[in-house]
Structure formats: structure tokens, C-alpha cells
Amino acid sequence: MKKVLFVCLGNICRSPAAEGVFTKLVNDHGLEKQIIIDSCGTQDHHQGENADPRMINHAQRRGYDLTSIARGIKPSDLDEFDWIITMDNSNYENVLKISSPKNQHKIKKMMDFSTDSQTKEVPDPYYGGPKGFEHVLDLLEDS
Ligand code: 4NP
């Protein structure tokens, strides 16, 4: 059993989408009993909320169901999860700050898994238009 946690800022756009894309991949490969998937934000300003309706709609068009309820990251997440995958450099630095040295090796950047070596971050789509949400999904699917 492995546990994977996706992390962004608000846990209403990028990390719920990452959770949805990865969950479908895991289910399609019949690995749902071996991999536990969750997401959270470095902030808890949206605690208890569903994913952003724009992110839900764009994801749904590609066949992903976003069911996450927003929550902030807890120090215990660092002990509990095996892989902690952050969306941008700011998320990465903020998670590193709350991690004890023994857990730092678990913290990764999503774009480290991408075939696109030029793009280093999954950009925050919150204040932009539809293209930003599609771009997020393109990057997540590739990674
Ligand atoms: P996320 O996007 O980190 O991908 O969930 C954001 C959601 C909300 C805000 C910023 C980014 N906000 O400022 O409320």
C-alpha cells in the first residue's frame, strides 16, 4: 500500500484535478487497493469547499470526476504519506518548511514527472480564464 498526496495552494483547483487524473489512472489499471490518493492545500482558506466549479467542468469534459473537499495540510500528512507531490515552487518550499528532515525526500514537484523539461510549475489557474484550466489538465495528464 502506497499513499500519495497532491498539494497546491487552495486545494480547489490544481491538486483536486491532480487527484482526479491520478485516481482515474489508478482505477483504470486496477490498482485502487494498492494506492491511496488524497489532496490538500498549503492554506486552509477554502476548507470544506468542493473544487472550483470551473475546474470541475473542465475535468469532467475529459472524464475526470473531482470529488475532493478542500483541507489544509497537517504536519502528520508528512509522516502518513509516501509521496507528497506539489504543483509549484511556492507549494514545494512551503511543504518543505513544515517537514522534518526525515520526510523531506518524500516531497516532489509535479513537473519532475513531466515530459516537458521547459515548464517547471503547474501554474495557478484561479485568476485566469478557461485556457488556464485546460493547461493545468494538459500538464497533469502528461506528468
Ligand atoms: P489552487 O488555486 O491552489 O490550484 O487551488 C487557487 C485557489 C484559490 C486561491 C488561489 C489559488 N485563492 O487565492 O483563493
Side-chain angles (χ1 to χ4, degrees):
M1 177 70 77
K2 290 286 177 196
K3 299 185 73 170
V4 181
L5 181 67
F6 296 104
V7 187
C8 62
L9 175 65
N11 192 210
I12 55 171
C13 296
R14 293 165 292 175
S15 60
E19 183 181 349
V21 169
F22 192 56
T23 297
K24 183 165 188 303
L25 205 56
V26 164
N27 291 347
D28 287 350
H29 287 79
L31 295 170
E32 59 272 16
K33 291 202 171 69
Q34 291 163 63
I35 302 177
I36 288 180
I37 306 161
D38 196 5
S39 67
C40 67
T42 56
Q43 291 182 349
D44 61 3
H45 296 174
H46 295 274
Q47 184 88 20
E49 294 178 20
N50 292 313
D52 186 303
R54 298 167 295 173
M55 193 76 253
I56 290 178
N57 288 337
H58 284 276
Q60 203 147 42
R61 284 195 240 144
R62 299 191 190 201
Y64 307 115
D65 212 10
L66 305 195
T67 56
S68 70
I69 303 293
R71 71 171 180 88
I73 194 166
K74 304 171 286 191
S76 60
D77 288 324
L78 280 298
D79 289 321
E80 202 182 309
F81 285 86
D82 302 291
W83 292 76
I84 298 155
I85 303 180
T86 58
M87 299 297 135
D88 64 28
N89 293 337
S90 162
N91 309 149
Y92 178 78
E93 296 300 332
N94 284 327
V95 177
L96 264 189
K97 273 185 211 155
I98 63 161
S99 173
S100 60
K102 75 176 166 58
N103 289 327
Q104 284 180 350
H105 69 283
K106 300 176 178 181
I107 307 166
K108 313 284 181 193
K109 296 179 182 179
M110 178 60 87
M111 292 308 293
D112 289 345
F113 300 93
S114 171
T115 62
D116 175 356
S117 57
Q118 303 301 310
T119 309
K120 301 295 185 195
E121 303 183 278
V122 182
D124 180 355
Y126 190 70
Y127 293 106
K131 275 191 185 154
F133 289 87
E134 288 297 316
H135 184 49
V136 164
L137 288 165
D138 288 340
L139 295 174
L140 294 177
E141 284 178 335
D142 177 61
S143 300

